[in-house]
Amino acid sequence: MPHRLHGRDAERAAIAGRLAALVDGGGVILADGSAGLGKTRLLAEARELASDAGATVAAAGAEPRDRLVPLGVLRAALGAPGAGDDLTGDPAAQRLQIIRDAEHRLREAAAAAPAVVLLDDLQWADAGTIAGLRFLTSRLAAAPVLWLLAFRPGEASPELRAAATAWEAAGAPRLTLEPLAETAVAAALAELAGAPPGPELLTLARRAQGSPFLLVELLRGLQEERAIRIADGVAEVAAPRLPARIRETMRVRLRRLGPASRDVARAAAVLGRSCSFAQLSAMLDLAPSVLLGPVDAVIAADLLTSDGAALSFRHDLLRQAVLDTIPAAERRALLRHAADVLLTAGGTPSDVAAALVASADAGDRDAAATLLTAARTLGPADPAAAARVGRRALELIDATDPLRAPLVAETALLLHAAGHDREALAFAEQALQDEDLTAEQEGEILLRVAEMLGLSADVRTAHGRRALALPGLSPGLAARHRVRLLANLAVSGDHAEARAVAETIRVQDGPPTGARVRALALLACAEGDLRKTLVLCDEAERLAHEADDDDQRVLDEIGLMRGDALAALGEVGAALELAERAAAGARITRQAWAERMWDSVRGRQLLVLGRLDEAHTVLQRVIDAGPLGATGDGAALVAYLRVVTHLGDAAGRERALALADDLLREGSRGVRHHVGWMLTLDAFFRGDREGMRRGAAAGVPRFPSEPGDAPRLARVAAALGDPALMDQAVGLARERAACAPHTPVLWGSKTHTEAIASGDAAAMAAAAEHLLAAGAPLAAAIAHEDRAAAVTDRDARIAALDAALQAYASAGAVADLARVRARLRDLGERRRVTAGPATGDAAALAPAAGWGALTEAQRAVAALAAAGLTNRQVGERLHLSPNTVGSHLREAYNKLGVHSRVELMRAHQDALHHA
């Protein structure tokens, strides 16, 4: 390669500029372009610039096999310990730990010096790596860490394309490498040839179409053939023709090697872009000592490089060129042999799967069994890729093979985990039509459908009942089905039948298991026994660990119950922190169903905290991920309607109502209950008494429940003048408060509900202040607004409406602000108030900028950050999640007009000086 970087002055300047600004915080730079346009060379230049600037540098390049290697390129770059390299263990937990360790190491490194991470060829990275990068770049946005990410756009995965769009939207520059201009080509040729190029050489070079890689290959080929002559200070070609290096490509290069070296090159290409010496030795069935000479020859031919641990092709184009020299039938046989070699010589499940997918023939049962194992191993990290592996395995065996049923069951569950609920159900249903299935095989597939938590509980229940009706089902599988039926009945709202099934299980199925305790926890949560729910969740986790059953899907199911119980108990911060952590893990490991469930919990807690725009974003994602069917989806839809109503989003309301119509027709009993409550609230917002009367009869949903449902039901009862409904609301509020009498949100909701029933304005004011202090500004605003309606004194009414206005503004509740301002105008008062940001951090009726514009939360976060604490340390000090700290800090930066922690420190010192 040329020593100088030619034709990339703008790109080099952009990187240098970002490096110079690292002291004020990090960021992302994207570099994309087709193969051979110099992305790798640009990253090498960036590495030199970063080193010259005193930065710590980490670098790696992805390989084609990394599509099936979870977090492969991140591990290579950041020196993370290997994880998921065997066919056993808990890969999901390992991968999540890798991400957390990477964040910790980068923070530590960046504390000493700016850090630069260079990642090449991300088009080959697995989806989990892209999710991990999005997570890390967001978490480290305020740290002096610069990410330079290079990829081929035409080969980028959907996940990478979406990530690139998001990074660009957040301000990341995108350096798209175009073919070199003729001036740059001439400069590179002059350096390579040792003299300025003449007309014939320039004409020939144009055939490289500005590709630096092909240009270099062209010059090397010409030089090898001694086809360049220098005369009168000009480099010229003897004849205007392509050299053999280009004309015959790799076939010529391989012919120049001896037979043993050719075998080495082809074997290495079959094993992947990189391989170990031991794998190459096993592939060729030769002693390592015999391979030393041939390997050295291939390295000398510039095909392979060695870093001491692995042999790698210098460029994927080289590897592909070598593969293309192997006849198709021979290549297929070699790939099949490579799979066996990788199995016995330390290959990862991903490597093995990639080789088998490309090479296994129909009837290869051993390959199918290995692919099933690989699919199970890949599933916790990338279920979509694992499902593709499972489907390929199914193509290898016939309809009567006993392996078919477990493959179908596993693949269906993987499709569901990847978020393809309908496809998963259809896939399983098609397999269930096979008349050759035994009762046990059919029951295994039906159990997987019953475990698909993203489906309607009614669908899951029906499949469980179908399995239990099968003649000849083994006692063990029947017991598993009864436990799952208990859980599904609890969620669907059929509590009486659920209790009957629980009694059957107690009598027939012996000592408690982790799965049974999980189901009983779900029933307790659905029936409102929240403290018992938390105790059973602890017991279920203990039993899972003792049984070595730490499958992430199991832990997510327990965690979701815990999150719903905490939320219903009014422990909003704990529920949100649990959900944020779990949702981040689900994104990294591509568990779409779990991410949707956790986002439902997150969105509902963000709404309670008055962070409307954040809640809207999260709940919109739940709805977009559809189709909706799970009970948590119904709760999310209720929350979404409330959010869009507060925001005055008419289009969002229409969409919510359209989805409600669908769910009323197709949803389970539990989902229909949520939809009915949603329509009741919509009728209340619109003042539709008949609509309220129709919906209120069913009451509020008990699972998952919301602390503020009781006062909302009381408001409906007051609007209808319905004493029985009011008694129901008060009873609900007292019942929930009794579960956690010292929880501020539940105490405030109970006080507000009782105050609505009695018309006690003073109690409403007390409830509002308590709710506001508990971090629930919307609930506080509603209590203040109810207080304004309950008093007759004009000044007291204005004070109550002003308090409501302030709380609504802090949440960004545009529609509520308009309504309260209109009520104030009716009293002869005008207020100029704008909604704050969705984080709930803006203070209404306060300065728009400066320290006085900061909320208490923002001020506390900013002060600690100005004292030198990291976001994580600030979060630990204030009991906030790092995401919440980052959100507060960004808003503080905006209001203070600062762009870095250095500027924040100065602003804080100035404020203290003038205080």
Side-chain angles (χ1 to χ4, degrees):
M1 295 294 291
H3 177 71
R4 289 187 56 238
L5 182 64
H6 297 282
R8 305 296 186 210
D9 292 344
E11 291 83 357
R12 189 181 188 279
I15 294 170
R18 282 300 179 106
L19 285 170
L22 259 183
V23 67
D24 293 328
V28 176
I29 299 177
L30 304 173
D32 67 10
S34 301
L37 286 181
K39 298 180 296 299
T40 302
R41 179 66 179 84
L42 181 65
L43 263 61
E45 186 77 7
R47 183 171 197 150
E48 290 188 18
L49 290 171
S51 297
D52 291 344
T56 301
V57 181
E63 304 176 7
R65 68 174 182 175
D66 284 338
R67 293 187 177 108
L68 295 175
V69 178
L71 306 179
V73 69
L74 274 178
R75 289 185 300 176
L78 301 177
D85 288 339
D86 52 62
L87 301 179
T88 60
D90 182 10
Q94 293 173 356
R95 288 153 177 73
L96 185 55
Q97 188 60 48
I98 287 172
I99 295 294
R100 290 174 177 163
D101 288 347
E103 180 188 356
H104 178 70
R105 283 194 302 276
L106 282 170
R107 287 192 186 278
E108 283 192 335
V116 178
V117 184
L118 309 171
L119 299 181
D120 199 6
D121 286 329
L122 283 179
Q123 73 277 359
W124 291 319
D126 70 299
T129 292
I130 305 306
L133 283 173
R134 294 185 71 169
F135 178 78
L136 287 171
T137 53
S138 174
R139 296 272 289 187
L140 297 167
V145 179
L146 179 64
W147 303 78
L148 183 48
L149 311 177
F151 59 95
R152 301 177 189 174
E155 299 176 39
S157 64
E159 293 85 359
L160 178 54
R161 289 197 296 271
T165 300
W167 283 318
E168 279 193 277
R174 186 160 184 163
L175 311 179
T176 297
L177 301 188
E178 301 292 346
L180 294 178
E182 282 207 5
T183 53
V185 168
L189 288 173
E191 182 182 342
L192 288 166
E200 294 292 339
L201 180 55
L202 281 174
T203 299
L204 186 59
R206 290 191 185 102
R207 300 183 68 175
Q209 297 182 322
S211 166
F213 175 80
L214 292 179
L215 190 66
V216 172
E217 289 293 287
L218 170 68
L219 259 293
R220 282 181 175 167
L222 293 171
Q223 288 170 335
E224 287 170 359
E225 297 180 1
R226 301 182 184 275
I228 292 182
R229 54 182 172 79
I230 298 178
D232 299 326
V234 174
E236 194 55 277
V237 291
R241 61 178 178 80
L242 288 175
R245 185 183 183 109
I246 299 297
R247 188 176 64 251
E248 297 183 27
T249 62
M250 190 55 62
R251 196 176 302 278
V252 172
R253 298 182 68 180
L254 291 179
R255 281 203 299 265
R256 293 174 180 167
L257 297 172
S261 297
R262 282 200 297 272
D263 289 344
V264 164
R266 287 170 174 161
V270 168
L271 286 167
R273 189 177 173 189
S274 65
C275 62
S276 70
F277 205 90
Q279 290 166 350
L280 189 62
S281 174
M283 182 73 187
L284 293 170
D285 195 22
L286 293 172
S289 59
V290 176
L291 287 176
L292 290 174
V295 168
D296 284 345
V298 177
I299 291 174
D302 285 339
L303 292 179
L304 293 177
T305 62
S306 175
D307 62 3
L311 297 166
S312 303
F313 280 90
R314 288 188 176 275
H315 195 286
D316 186 61
L317 292 178
L318 297 178
R319 176 186 175 245
Q320 189 59 53
V322 173
L323 283 175
D324 289 344
T325 68
I326 307 172
E330 184 180 340
R331 186 193 313 179
R332 190 177 185 89
L334 286 172
L335 283 167
R336 184 62 184 87
H337 180 47
D340 293 334
V341 167
L342 291 168
L343 272 173
T344 57
T348 67
S350 305
D351 292 331
V352 176
L356 287 176
V357 166
S359 66
D361 292 314
D364 192 339
R365 194 174 188 280
D366 289 342
T370 302
L371 287 174
L372 173 58
T373 304
R376 287 172 172 162
T377 304
L378 290 169
D382 192 342
R388 290 193 292 272
V389 171
R391 283 186 146 162
R392 176 66 180 124
L394 282 167
E395 295 173 359
L396 303 179
I397 56 176
D398 60 38
T400 61
D401 194 305
L403 196 60
R404 191 166 194 83
L407 265 171
V408 168
E410 192 69 31
T411 303
L413 198 58
L414 288 167
L415 287 169
H416 164 261
H420 307 308
D421 296 339
R422 289 182 177 172
E423 184 181 355
L425 181 59
F427 178 80
E429 290 287 7
Q430 183 178 9
L432 288 167
Q433 294 175 13
D434 185 352
E435 295 179 357
D436 293 326
L437 289 174
T438 66
E440 197 73 0
Q441 290 172 332
E442 187 174 351
E444 193 67 40
I445 296 172
L446 288 167
L447 180 62
R448 291 309 194 190
V449 177
E451 291 174 339
M452 294 179 185
L453 301 185
L455 296 178
S456 161
D458 286 356
V459 172
R460 306 199 309 265
T461 298
H463 282 74
R465 287 179 172 140
R466 175 178 166 184
L468 288 168
L470 290 171
L473 195 67
S474 71
L477 186 54
R480 292 167 66 195
H481 265 291
R482 277 191 290 273
V483 168
R484 180 48 59 183
L485 181 61
L486 165 60
N488 291 335
L489 288 169
V491 173
S492 69
D494 296 324
H495 297 165
E497 186 178 354
R499 286 191 291 272
V501 172
E503 180 60 22
T504 301
I505 292 171
R506 187 187 67 79
V507 172
Q508 294 186 9
D509 295 340
T513 63
R516 188 195 305 181
V517 173
R518 293 199 303 274
L520 291 172
L522 201 53
L523 179 59
C525 191
E527 292 187 322
D529 195 342
L530 304 174
R531 290 299 177 191
K532 181 179 179 181
T533 301
L534 294 177
V535 170
L536 289 173
C537 283
D538 290 340
E539 176 68 5
E541 280 189 349
R542 183 186 67 79
L543 288 171
H545 292 313
E546 287 181 358
D548 200 22
D549 182 18
D550 292 342
D551 184 279
Q552 188 60 44
R553 185 168 53 86
V554 170
L555 298 179
D556 272 321
E557 188 173 2
I558 298 171
L560 285 164
M561 284 184 281
R562 188 189 304 280
D564 282 328
L566 289 171
L569 286 168
E571 298 181 25
V572 181
L576 179 60
E577 185 171 356
L578 172 64
E580 285 182 336
R581 187 168 59 247
R587 276 193 296 277
I588 290 169
T589 55
R590 308 303 298 163
Q591 305 296 315
W593 77 272
E595 183 180 357
R596 190 175 87 198
M597 298 297 135
W598 282 115
D599 274 347
S600 174
V601 178
R602 285 182 66 214
R604 287 183 274 125
Q605 304 325 301
L606 289 167
L607 170 58
V608 172
L609 294 172
R611 292 157 60 175
L612 285 176
D613 277 356
E614 288 179 77
H616 183 274
T617 298
V618 172
L619 293 169
Q620 183 80 54
R621 189 159 58 237
V622 173
I623 291 171
D624 289 343
L628 305 183
T631 305
D633 296 336
L637 192 59
V638 175
Y640 180 73
L641 175 76
R642 290 174 52 207
V643 168
V644 297
T645 301
H646 284 302
L647 293 174
D649 180 358
R653 174 181 172 272
E654 289 301 319
R655 186 179 183 198
L657 295 176
L659 289 169
D661 287 342
D662 294 340
L663 289 174
L664 283 176
R665 290 192 301 271
E666 303 174 5
S668 67
R669 175 177 170 180
V671 171
R672 291 196 301 273
H673 197 174
H674 279 286
V675 172
W677 177 231
M678 171 185 143
L679 296 176
T680 303
L681 293 177
D682 184 65
F684 176 80
F685 295 143
R686 294 182 291 105
D688 177 2
R689 292 174 58 84
E690 186 56 36
M692 283 187 274
R693 189 173 286 108
R694 284 196 305 270
V700 301
R702 292 300 192 103
F703 177 77
S705 61
E706 297 295 333
D709 280 345
R712 281 188 282 275
L713 183 62
R715 298 182 95 206
V716 172
L720 293 174
D722 187 333
L725 191 61
M726 186 65 78
D727 289 344
Q728 183 182 339
V730 172
L732 176 64
R734 290 172 177 171
E735 172 194 320
R736 289 183 174 171
C739 293
H742 304 296
T743 303
V745 171
L746 290 182
W747 186 92
S749 295
K750 169 181 171 292
T751 304
H752 186 193
T753 305
E754 292 172 337
I756 294 171
S758 64
D760 187 341
M764 291 176 188
E769 292 305 319
H770 211 72
L771 289 165
L772 191 61
L778 289 171
I782 292 168
H784 279 307
E785 203 172 352
D786 286 345
R787 174 167 67 102
V791 298
T792 56
D793 179 75
R794 179 178 179 277
D795 289 343
R797 182 170 294 179
I798 290 171
L801 290 175
D802 273 341
L805 198 70
Q806 188 169 350
Y808 280 134
S810 73
V814 177
D816 302 294
L817 281 175
R819 182 183 64 254
V820 175
R821 289 176 65 190
R823 293 183 65 183
L824 282 165
R825 282 197 301 272
D826 291 342
L827 294 171
E829 298 290 325
R830 293 187 175 274
R831 297 289 186 269
R832 294 183 62 187
V833 181
T834 57
T839 56
D841 297 327
L845 309 178
W851 285 93
L854 269 58
T855 64
E856 289 296 327
Q858 289 171 354
R859 194 174 296 113
V861 167
L864 291 174
L869 275 67
T870 66
N871 284 16
R872 183 172 294 279
Q873 290 169 331
V874 172
E876 290 171 354
R877 185 78 61 87
L878 298 178
H879 305 290
L880 299 172
S881 73
N883 283 348
T884 303
V885 171
S887 177
H888 287 325
L889 201 55
R890 285 192 294 275
E891 292 302 326
Y893 275 26
N894 289 336
K895 292 179 181 180
L896 295 172
V898 300
H899 302 88
S900 69
R901 293 205 177 212
V902 173
E903 293 180 12
L904 176 64
M905 292 177 186
R906 292 173 184 156
H908 189 242
Q909 291 170 355
D910 290 343
L912 293 175
H913 178 73
H914 292 100

